[in-house]
Amino acid sequence: MGLVKKKAAPELAPVLAPAATGARPDPLASLEDADAAVRRDAAHALGHAALPGAEAALARRLQTEGDAGVREAILTALARIATPDAAAALVPFLDREDAALRNAALESLQQMPAEVAAPALLPLLDHADADLRIFAVQGLGSLVHPSRADWLARVMERDADVNVCLAAVEALAEAGSPEALSSLETLARRFPGDAFVAFAVDAARSSFQGR
Amino acid sequence: MSGTNAGGPRILVVDDAVTVRAFSRRVLEADGFVVDEAVNGIEGLERAMATPPDLVIVDVNMRKMDGYTMLRVLRRDPGLRDVPAIMISTESKDSDREQALLAGANWYIVKPPRPEMLVEAARLLTGRPPDREDAP
């Protein structure tokens, strides 16, 4: 999916301002147009000037949208709107069979400001599905937030699934979080004899210690 | 075997997790394979097209291009369609394995990878014989 800046550019908002001609179509209605180019333009317009109900309409369209360009426009629009409703609208897509769609949904969430994305992702840390918890960890791990290291440390200390824990290690290692060292040691003790865990913990430990 | 050199069969590891790439490299190089890396499906395809590997090991969930999509593209490329592929994923449901096989994978490994499983699968798919003590 396309990249967007963390905050919408206010100077782009007039894209949806009522035209003098009054002929500009309603983008909410145009999302259901038979022409993919019209749907893509509608999503683009909604991303620049969110109308009430835009998040739900975009998410509804995304559920059935088959055109890759329109999908990308919808995901970009939701990332740009970046309201709590937009974040919440993306969460169900993390559970889709379509790998491209679920990865793109995660990427859209990661592009939102941390104070918007985190409340949508944090509840997933307690979800019964480990794959969803992994997505939550990857999402939270990419956010710039003062509680980020604490969230990930708690995962390493408590989550029962080794792959969820390893996702936390990966996220911590990427940013370097020395305060999580004790949680790393805890993780190594929780999964003794797992060669990959030992390797990942050792790599993260080295990364934290600047070696 | 395409891409084979004096160092052994060439394996392309495609995963957005640096730890998985590093672990796979360590395990496979210790067994004589030559390892190349890519961080997503697009980069994986670019590397595979530039230097056809003897085996690809590809993750499912990656940004830009996921593993299923990469394998489907690989299987449509006349020069790469016969390259064996291992799909590696945290997802362990039967439907995940089925989806991997339908996309063109020859083998499916659930993360975290066990070194011996990784090596045995790589040997089998690249046609390398097992260790002498394992031989019948």
Side-chain angles (χ1 to χ4, degrees):
Chain A
M1 66 159 294
L3 295 175
V4 297
K5 293 177 180 174
K6 291 271 182 183
K7 289 187 181 287
E11 68 274 15
L12 296 176
V15 165
L16 253 200
T21 62
R24 190 179 292 276
D26 173 10
L28 288 173
S30 297
L31 271 181
E32 303 302 325
D33 196 279
D35 185 340
V38 173
R39 298 198 302 277
R40 188 176 61 241
D41 289 347
H44 180 75
L46 288 170
H48 284 89
L51 300 177
E55 298 96 326
L58 287 162
R60 197 163 48 243
R61 182 66 230 170
L62 187 56
Q63 285 175 8
T64 54
E65 181 57 61
D67 183 274
V70 181
R71 275 188 179 197
E72 183 172 335
I74 291 173
L75 288 158
T76 302
L78 287 168
R80 187 180 287 275
I81 292 169
T83 58
D85 282 347
L90 284 166
V91 167
F93 292 97
L94 300 177
D95 198 23
R96 291 291 291 260
E97 280 282 303
D98 183 335
L101 181 55
R102 60 183 186 241
N103 285 296
L106 178 64
E107 198 172 348
S108 290
L109 281 162
Q110 290 172 317
Q111 290 172 6
M112 293 180 176
E115 63 270 21
V116 174
L121 290 168
L122 278 168
L124 295 182
L125 290 180
D126 296 316
H127 199 282
D129 186 340
D131 293 323
L132 271 179
R133 300 204 300 280
I134 290 172
F135 272 126
V137 167
Q138 291 174 337
L140 292 166
S142 70
L143 302 178
V144 179
H145 192 284
S147 297
R148 176 182 162 281
D150 289 339
W151 295 330
L152 299 176
R154 196 177 65 207
V155 168
M156 289 192 294
E157 291 176 4
R158 297 180 188 174
D159 199 288
D161 186 284
V162 65
N163 283 312
V164 182
C165 296
L166 288 166
V169 175
E170 184 83 17
L172 283 165
E174 279 179 13
S177 304
E179 66 272 29
L181 261 174
S182 67
S183 300
L184 268 183
E185 306 301 344
T186 301
L187 176 62
R189 287 194 297 273
R190 291 182 60 211
F191 296 98
D194 187 311
F196 187 83
V197 170
F199 180 87
V201 167
D202 193 48
R205 191 189 291 126
S206 299
S207 155
F208 296 169
Q209 294 170 345
R211 283 189 277 130
Chain B
M1 188 176 297
S2 63
T4 304
N5 64 17
R10 180 179 297 276
I11 299 178
L12 174 61
V13 178
V14 188
D15 199 306
D16 57 356
V18 63
T19 313
V20 175
R21 296 198 307 274
F23 181 79
S24 302
R25 176 182 286 279
R26 175 180 288 190
V27 168
L28 294 168
E29 285 186 345
D31 202 58
F33 292 98
V34 175
V35 176
D36 194 9
E37 299 178 17
V39 300
N40 58 52
I42 291 175
E43 189 179 311
L45 285 172
E46 287 172 352
R47 290 191 181 276
M49 287 169 182
T51 308
D54 298 298
L55 170 68
V56 294
I57 299 176
V58 57
D59 183 26
V60 171
N61 289 312
M62 295 180 289
R63 294 183 196 180
K64 295 191 179 173
M65 183 186 282
D66 63 90
Y68 297 131
T69 305
M70 180 189 159
L71 284 187
R72 281 192 285 265
V73 175
L74 201 75
R75 292 294 176 245
R76 288 199 299 265
D77 186 301
L80 297 170
R81 69 186 344 150
D82 295 326
V83 174
I86 297 173
M87 182 148 265
I88 182 167
S89 174
T90 59
E91 303 181 30
S92 56
K93 295 187 283 288
D94 285 345
S95 59
D96 299 314
R97 295 173 190 273
E98 191 176 325
Q99 205 173 342
L101 295 175
L102 285 173
N106 304 91
W107 200 275
Y108 191 86
I109 292 178
V110 177
K111 290 183 179 180
R114 296 209 324 267
E116 65 276 14
M117 181 176 288
L118 202 56
V119 165
E120 287 308 312
R123 287 184 179 190
L124 184 71
L125 292 174
T126 58
R128 276 187 53 189
D131 278 340
R132 186 179 299 273
E133 57 266 30
D134 298 333

